[in-house]
Amino acid sequence: MAQNGSSTNGHEATWIRPDRPPRCTWHLGTTEPSPHQHYKRRFDRTKAYTSVLDAIGDTPLVRMSRIEKTEGVKCELYAKCEFFNAGGSVKDRIALRMVETAEKSGLIKPGYTLIEPTSGNTGIGLALAAAVKGYRCIIVMPEKMSAEKVNVLRALGAEIVRTPTSASFEMPESHIRVAQKLQNEIENAVILDQYINSGNPVAHYDTTAEEIIEQCGGHVDMVVVGAGTGGTVCGIGRKMKEKIPNCKVVGVDPLGSILAQPGELNETDVSFYEVEGTGYDFIPTVLDRSVVDKWYKTADKDSFIMARRLIREEGFLCGGSSGAAMHIALQACRELKEGQKCVVLLPDSVRNYMTKFLKEEWMIERNFLPEKNMEKKWWWDVPVSKIKLHTPVSVLPTTTCGATLQIMEEQGFDQIPVVDGNGVVLGTVTMGNMMSNLTSGKIVPNDAVSKTLYKGFKEIQMTDNLKKLSRILEIDHFAIVMHSKLQCDIANLSLTDLKPSIKSLRAEPVGGAKITNGDGHSSQIYGIVTSVDFCRYLATNAPKE
């Protein structure tokens, strides 16, 4: 746990690493007294609760008889349904434990600010606790996390700071480093820090694991648990090793993450994965991998398809990481016999992913589901290059919002790419996003345009067909078409200088903006295609009957 006023070296605050070696002395068979505060929060569910926080824990264990039958497994398959927690995920347990422990130790007091770097679920748990207890809450999360999580956090009163998904944990712009920067700038701010906080695994050691053992009548042969920070698999794994030594602990880690052992399992060309709340590019302090008997790796497609099966066949309204755990459970449990029990932990609710894997269009766009059988349209195989587009102007991130608005007005654009000095596309500026931020007071005309970037843009190649483009435009208003572009370096120009500058740019295109992919390759922007461009092409080129 970190509190403001950390020691500094010059003007730079000391960075607290999330992967520093653990000081925990736990080992199987230890007789040393635990230094942690252990307690169980059990409530009589037949009586009224004093607050919604009492509805955290004691989640149901449900047998998956339909999938058992469909898959032909011999053992009994059970789901630990963590989406029944008050905030919708297993992370509610650790959020409440960390807050209560910090209160008891005097680390946080009324009027303090809670800051947490998180993929979203821990943030929701903390925001829930902060709302009930009266703390200010700031959540720092990567941009890939769903809009649903952001909306829930805001509804709970939390303040949101987004960071680049591509930023590794050591980079200054990572969600971990940004959170620590904020904590050093805000008086009476505390980072409870799920990556190093012992309350993370201890919450599961005290409650989740004990519930599983009790619900299974003391007989558990296998538990399958996904790993993010690692607190869940660590806490459950340690308790199982103590109470049921023969229980096999299976860890689940996505391709693109490095948590699994042996290290060869992590060798892959995958650098990005869609499943949220699982995997990392470092080994968190709270993850004790010694309690995991076997690790498995998962791919996005398998995870999301299985999550949809859990919803359809068992009625579990769960998220993508639940699908990952279940996909692996069906492989791992093949070694179990009739009468043996396998428990799969389902971490969170589908509430967070309504516009993601729950939507067929989203799944089809990423090739996770096949195309539906439809009558072929005349334009499906037409390449995107057939649509006539204007070569776009781009601006630098240092360009002011006011200057960008004038360019958009002069050129008749609703969106403009923003590129850095090397020509790498950082995002786009859209008229809608600019207007929203200006009217709400989040930006002023003299602010750099980097403060109002939209980074969720889609890209498409000139060689891609219009069928693919139509799927993108069903969800997004535009897509960036890759090939060549025109650069407008106007960062230091005044508004009165813009008009002649734009005219000169029309006469002589220069440079090339690039989108650099994970494999190191880059493409240049050819243009921006909108729904209007697409519809215009269809209207003017439709074959005559």
Side-chain angles (χ1 to χ4, degrees):
M1 291 178 283
Q3 187 172 12
N4 65 329
S6 301
S7 59
T8 58
N9 181 11
H11 295 289
E12 185 178 355
T14 302
W15 178 38
I16 300 174
R17 296 186 64 93
D19 61 344
R20 60 187 183 184
R23 292 179 295 175
C24 183
T25 59
W26 181 92
H27 61 274
L28 191 59
T30 183
T31 58
E32 297 178 14
S34 172
H36 307 299
Q37 298 180 21
H38 291 275
Y39 59 92
K40 300 175 185 177
R41 304 182 81 257
R42 306 300 292 270
F43 297 93
D44 184 350
R45 291 193 177 273
T46 65
K47 297 181 180 179
Y49 294 159
T50 57
S51 81
V52 73
L53 301 180
D54 295 344
I56 294 174
D58 285 320
T59 54
L61 188 77
V62 182
R63 186 164 179 179
M64 295 179 280
S65 55
R66 295 160 192 78
I67 288 182
E68 276 181 26
K69 184 177 181 180
T70 303
E71 294 292 329
V73 298
K74 296 179 180 179
C75 68
E76 298 173 11
L77 274 174
Y78 292 91
K80 182 63 170 166
C81 300
E82 289 300 295
F83 47 87
F84 276 91
N85 280 302
S89 87
V90 68
K91 293 292 191 175
D92 292 350
R93 294 177 184 264
I94 74 164
L96 183 58
R97 176 61 65 99
M98 292 191 301
V99 169
E100 290 181 337
T101 301
E103 287 176 329
K104 290 177 181 178
S105 67
L107 181 66
I108 59 175
K109 300 173 183 178
Y112 275 38
T113 297
L114 305 182
I115 302 176
E116 189 70 16
T118 168
S119 62
N121 280 328
T122 302
I124 290 173
L126 281 172
L128 188 75
V132 173
K133 292 174 174 286
Y135 297 108
R136 179 189 179 193
C137 184
I138 301 174
I139 301 301
V140 187
M141 59 194 296
E143 289 167 337
K144 101 170 183 182
M145 304 313 165
S146 71
E148 290 88 341
K149 288 179 180 177
V150 173
N151 293 336
V152 171
L153 284 164
R154 285 181 175 150
L156 287 167
E159 301 164 48
I160 314 295
V161 177
R162 306 303 292 270
T163 59
T165 298
S166 59
S168 68
F169 77 101
E170 294 179 303
M171 295 175 68
E173 60 267 32
S174 73
H175 66 310
I176 295 172
R177 296 291 295 272
V178 169
Q180 292 187 17
K181 181 176 183 291
L182 288 171
Q183 177 254 325
N184 280 290
E185 294 173 350
I186 299 172
E187 186 177 0
N188 294 327
V190 174
I191 298 177
L192 296 178
D193 205 337
Q194 60 180 325
Y195 303 103
I196 65 174
N197 194 311
S198 60
N200 183 346
V202 169
H204 298 296
Y205 179 90
D206 286 348
T207 66
T208 321
E210 290 284 3
E211 291 168 25
I212 291 172
I213 293 170
E214 181 180 333
Q215 290 165 326
C216 289
H219 178 63
V220 188
D221 299 283
M222 179 181 288
V223 289
V224 181
V225 185
T229 63
T232 310
V233 70
C234 171
I236 293 175
R238 285 181 173 182
K239 180 66 70 164
M240 292 298 171
K241 294 302 178 186
E242 290 177 354
K243 287 200 166 183
I244 311 176
N246 292 327
C247 176
K248 187 169 185 177
V249 179
V250 175
V252 182
D253 189 39
L255 290 169
S257 169
I258 66 164
L259 302 184
Q261 288 182 314
E264 303 83 70
L265 285 176
N266 301 317
E267 295 176 359
T268 178
D269 293 330
V270 175
S271 59
F272 173 85
Y273 49 91
E274 293 276 6
V275 176
E276 298 183 27
T278 181
Y280 271 105
D281 59 345
F282 63 94
I283 309 301
T285 299
V286 297
L287 174 55
D288 178 5
R289 295 188 289 180
S290 71
V291 298
V292 178
D293 296 299
K294 188 171 182 179
W295 287 92
Y296 288 81
K297 303 292 286 190
T298 56
D300 282 339
K301 182 176 181 179
D302 296 328
S303 302
F304 291 130
I305 288 175
M306 181 54 69
R308 290 169 66 94
R309 279 191 63 190
L310 286 168
I311 294 170
R312 184 179 65 252
E313 297 180 32
E314 296 290 349
F316 295 150
L317 298 180
C318 57
S321 58
S322 298
M326 189 62 199
H327 177 72
I328 294 306
L330 289 175
Q331 298 177 44
C333 77
R334 299 290 176 180
E335 66 186 57
L336 299 182
K337 301 175 182 177
E338 190 173 345
Q340 291 187 299
K341 297 177 181 179
C342 173
V343 175
V344 189
L345 189 131
L346 307 185
D348 73 350
S349 164
V350 74
R351 176 202 66 200
N352 293 333
Y353 315 104
M354 303 293 281
T355 57
K356 288 198 165 187
F357 78 88
L358 205 59
K359 293 187 67 173
E360 287 192 0
E361 296 85 356
W362 189 91
M363 293 285 287
I364 292 170
E365 182 183 332
R366 288 155 180 79
N367 295 317
F368 296 155
L369 284 179
E371 293 277 4
K372 292 181 178 179
N373 292 325
M374 297 174 60
E375 182 182 350
K376 187 174 181 178
K377 308 297 182 183
W378 66 266
W379 47 267
W380 276 8
D381 295 328
V382 175
V384 173
S385 59
K386 292 294 184 181
I387 297 180
K388 186 178 180 181
L389 301 175
H390 297 290
T391 305
V393 171
S394 68
V395 297
L396 293 170
T398 50
T399 306
T400 67
C401 294
T404 303
L405 278 171
Q406 184 163 340
I407 292 174
M408 295 170 83
E409 181 182 4
E410 289 284 339
Q411 300 295 300
F413 297 149
D414 287 327
Q415 53 276 315
I416 294 181
V418 179
V419 303
D420 66 13
N422 296 318
V424 176
V425 178
L426 303 176
T428 60
V429 178
T430 68
M431 184 63 74
N433 199 34
M434 184 89 78
M435 182 176 69
S436 174
N437 287 330
L438 281 169
T439 56
S440 65
K442 292 181 179 179
I443 60 171
V444 296
N446 287 330
D447 281 338
V449 78
S450 57
K451 292 188 67 174
T452 184
L453 278 184
Y454 172 69
K455 299 184 180 182
F457 63 89
K458 297 293 191 301
E459 61 177 277
I460 193 167
Q461 299 296 321
M462 291 182 67
T463 53
D464 287 332
N465 59 40
L466 296 188
K467 184 180 180 182
K468 180 176 180 180
L469 175 63
S470 70
R471 291 203 306 267
I472 293 174
L473 295 179
E474 285 175 0
I475 301 171
D476 296 275
H477 299 299
F478 68 94
I480 292 182
V481 183
M482 304 311 298
H483 202 44
S484 82
K485 75 106 206 175
L486 172 69
Q487 181 168 352
C488 175
D489 182 356
I490 57 167
N492 298 314
L493 298 180
S494 67
L495 292 178
T496 56
D497 294 328
L498 288 175
K499 208 164 188 177
S501 299
I502 292 170
K503 289 179 180 177
S504 65
L505 282 168
R506 287 174 182 161
E508 189 176 5
V510 295
K514 299 173 287 185
I515 289 181
T516 303
N517 304 316
D519 57 7
H521 298 294
S522 63
S523 301
Q524 293 182 323
I525 292 180
Y526 172 75
I528 292 179
V529 59
T530 67
S531 299
V532 172
D533 297 319
F534 178 61
C535 290
R536 184 185 297 117
Y537 177 84
L538 296 185
T540 57
N541 292 277
K544 297 180 180 179
E545 297 183 0

